[in-house]
Amino acid sequence: MKKYAIAMLFAGSTLLMADGAALYAKCVGCHGANGEKAALGKSAVITGQDAAKTVEQLKGYKAGTLNQKGMGGLMKGQVASMSDEDIQAVADYIAAMK
């Protein structure tokens, strides 16, 4: 019974974890399905970008302290509703892109 309870707890918590692929879906229009596009012809290609760098940038955009190439306002709107866990999940997803 104890093993069953632990398994159910793990399964439930996994469902609550942020899904990087699902979160990245709203990025596809500008960055491309695999991060291969320079968003609006301005950004760097993000395919395989280091997760720590992505987290730092997304948190900067969210806080309104980062405005690379004039994209601060647009990116702030994109990440405003993301939690720290969401940001980490999408950063890990981008880092794993090939």
Side-chain angles (χ1 to χ4, degrees):
M1 183 67 170
K2 187 176 182 180
K3 288 181 183 179
Y4 178 75
I6 291 171
M8 292 305 294
L9 179 63
F10 178 74
S13 66
T14 302
L15 291 173
L16 298 175
M17 290 178 145
D19 179 3
L23 291 164
Y24 183 77
K26 69 180 179 179
C27 310
V28 171
C30 294
H31 288 285
N34 295 305
E36 75 280 4
K37 293 182 184 178
L40 304 175
K42 295 181 179 185
S43 76
V45 172
I46 61 171
T47 301
Q49 179 173 280
D50 180 66
K53 180 178 180 178
T54 302
V55 167
E56 179 183 345
Q57 289 176 328
L58 293 179
K59 286 184 176 184
Y61 284 127
K62 184 175 179 177
T65 58
L66 183 61
N67 187 28
Q68 287 185 343
K69 301 183 182 180
M71 300 301 291
L74 176 76
M75 285 299 297
K76 183 174 181 167
Q78 292 297 310
V79 299
S81 65
M82 294 175 77
S83 67
D84 287 348
E85 292 79 18
D86 293 341
I87 288 172
Q88 186 65 57
V90 79
D92 291 340
Y93 182 75
I94 290 167
M97 290 177 171
K98 303 284 182 223

